[in-house]
Amino acid sequence: MNRIKNVFEQKKSSVLSIFFTAGYPDLNSTVDIAEALEKAGADFLEIGIPYSDPLADGPVIQNSSQKAIENGMTVKVLFEQLKDLRKRVSIPVLLMGYVNPVLQYGVERFCSSCVEVGVDGLIVPDLPMYEYEEMYRSCFESKGLSNIFLITPHTSDERIRKIDELSNGFIYLLSSSSTTGKNLAVSAGTEDYFGRIKNMKLRNPTMIGFGISDNKSFSKASEYANGAIVGSAFVRLLDSEDYMDKIPGFIQSLKNGQ
Amino acid sequence: MSYHVNEKGYYGNFGGAYIPEMLYPNIKELNEVYLEMIADPKFKEEYMGLLKDYVGRPSPLYLAERLSEKYGTTIYLKREDLNHTGAHKINNTVGQILLAERLGKKRIIAETGAGQHGVATATVCALKGLECIVYMGEVDIERQAPNVARMKMMGATVIPALSGSRTLKDATNEALRDWINNPADTHYIIGSVVGPHPYPDMVARFQSIISEETKWQLKEKTGKSNPDYVLACVGGGSNAMGMFYHFLDDDDVKLIAVEAAGKGVETGESAATTLLGKEGVLHGSRSIVMQTEDGQVVEPYSISAGLDYPGIGPQHAHLYASKRAEYVSITDDEAMQAGLQLAKLEGIIPAIESAHAFAYLDKMKFEGNETVVVCLSGRGDKDLDTYMKYFGL
C-alpha cells in the first residue's frame, strides 16, 4: 500500500511531519537526519531540494538552502544519496522543491528517480495546477507518486474542491498566507478558516504547515487537521553542533510538550 | 505567428504563472480586471492625461544628425530620457498606480535595480498618497545613491535586499516575499516585462506608448511610419518591449535587442541571457534564464545596474526563439565608449543601459540610407558616478 495512505489509515490525528533541507548542515547529513527523525517518532518526512530563489520561504529555510547549495547539493547528488534510503527509513518521504530544478532534471526522469529511491510524493509550491493537470499528472499517477497541493486562507472553496479532486495523499493547509517561519497565531480568523476546511469534509487528509514550532501549535493544528508539518523550527535546531543528539528530545517535545 | 500573449498567459512555450498558492488570489484578481480596466475610457483618459501633463509625453523623436553622419545612415532617438523621473519606467508606474487605486490597494511595493523604477514608483505613490516600499539590492543602493535619495525624498521606504548577489534578482525575490506576506492590501508594481502572467503583458501594454508614438512621429517626419531598424537595450526588457510593441507584426522592421555582455560572455561576468541562459522558470514565468545545469540561478554581472538580471521577459524569449527579433550583446567597455560618444556628438548623456543599444551601431552595416530608431531609455545622471570613475573625469 502507498506509504502515505498507510500512515493516515493507521493514525487519524496528530500525524507529525518534519521538513528539512537536503545537504544541510552537511552535504552528507540528509539520510542520517531522516533515519534519526524516524527513530525519534516522526510520522513522515519532507526533504527540501535547495533552490537559489525560494520565494515561499522565510529566512531560516532560505539560509539553509543557500548553505546546502554551497555544500554541493544538487538534484543528482540527492538521488545518489537516497539510493539506500529504503534500507534505513520506512516512513513516507516527500520531496519539496521549486519547479526550475525539477524542469532542468527533466520531469519524467525526476518521477522515475523518485520511484527508484522510494520517494512517495512531491510538493512543488510554484507548479501551476493547470500545468500539473495537463502535463505532469499522468506521469505522476502512472508511477504512483502523490502530488501535494497547498491551500491558504484565501483559496476559494471551488479551488479547494478541485485540489481535493487532483490530490492523492494529503492536502497541505497553510496556516496563513505567508512565507515560512512565522509563528502560528491562532486568531478567530484562522479558526474560522481551519473550521471551514474541516467542514468541507474533503476526501484527502489534511496537514497544517507554516508556523508550527512547538507542542502548543502542533496540538492546536491537530484539532483541525490530521496533523501538522514542522519546518523552520527543526531547521533552526540543525544549526547546533550536537543536533543529532537533540533530535529525539525535539520530536518528543512537539508531541508531548515535554 | 502571434507575438502576443494567449488566453492562458503564454507566448509560445514561455510565460505562465509559476507562483506559490499564496499569490494565486492576487494574480487571479489582476488577471480578471487588467484588460477591462485598461480598456475603460475613464482609465484611458486619466492615464493619457497623466502621461501628457505629468510625464511630459509625447517624448520627442529626435533626428540625431551628427550620429547619423558618423554611421552614414539616418538615426532617430526616442527620447524616453526626457520623461519626468528620467526614464521610460514612469509609463508603467503611472498605469499600474491607477490600477492599484481601482483595486482599492493602500500599500505599494516595488523592486528596483538601477533605481529608476524605484524612483518612478515612489513618484506615483507620492502623487496618489499611497504608502511605498521599495526593495533594492544592497550593492545597487551603494552604486545608485542619488536615486535612493530621490525615493526617500518622495516618502518611500527603501529596504536593502541582503540575499544572493544583493542586486535586482534578490530585490525581486524580497518584493515577491513581501507580497506573499501582505496579499490583501498590497499591489506589487513590477518594473519590467517579467513576473507571472499578466505582468509581462500588462507592463508591455503600458510601455507600448513608446512605439505607438514613434509610428506617428516617424510618419510626420519622413512620410513612412516604419523604420528599417529598431534598437533597444534589454535587461528584463521593458523599454525594448515598449519600443518593439507596435512593430511586432510589421515584418519589414528589424528588431534588435541589446543585452549586457558585461566583461565578456566568456568571462563568467556577464548578463547576456539569450547567449548564456536556457529555458527555465524564474520569478513566476517560464523564460530564458541564466542557470547552472542543476537549475540554480546564476548571478549576472553588468556595469549597468539596470541590466544585471539573469533572465528576460517571456515575450522576449518568444521573440528570440521565433527569431522575430535579433538578440546581441555589448560589453561594459563598448557601452561606456558609446555613452561618451553620444555625449560628445549630440550633447546627450545616456543611461549606461541605453548606451548598450548605441554601442551596437558600431557593429551594424547599413545599406545606403536606412532609418534607425534607437530607444534612449533613460538619462545618465544616475550613472555619473560610474562614468566619472570609468573615465577618470
Side-chain angles (χ1 to χ4, degrees), chain B residues 191-202:
Chain B
S192 194
V193 285
V194 301
H197 176 70
Y199 277 101
D201 184 51
M202 186 165 73

Side-chain angles (χ1 to χ4, degrees), chain B residues 152-170:
Chain B
K152 287 183 178 167
M153 273 189 80
M154 289 183 284
T157 305
V158 180
I159 301 182
L162 304 172
S163 60
S165 60
R166 293 169 293 134
T167 60
L168 180 56
K169 166 179 89 79
D170 309 290

Side-chain angles (χ1 to χ4, degrees), chain B residues 116-186:
Chain B
Q116 287 307 106
H117 174 58
V119 169
T121 305
T123 302
V124 295
C125 287
L127 184 72
K128 292 291 180 182
L130 295 174
E131 186 188 355
C132 181
I133 316 275
V134 179
Y135 289 90
M136 187 167 187
E138 202 186 28
V139 169
D140 292 336
I141 286 180
E142 280 168 27
R143 57 180 173 174
Q144 299 291 334
N147 273 343
V148 175
R150 284 186 190 107
M151 286 181 247
K152 287 183 178 167
M153 273 189 80
M154 289 183 284
T157 305
V158 180
I159 301 182
L162 304 172
S163 60
S165 60
R166 293 169 293 134
T167 60
L168 180 56
K169 166 179 89 79
D170 309 290
T172 310
N173 287 336
E174 291 307 322
L176 280 164
R177 281 196 192 97
D178 180 312
W179 207 23
I180 287 172
N181 288 319
N182 300 284
D185 65 340
T186 300

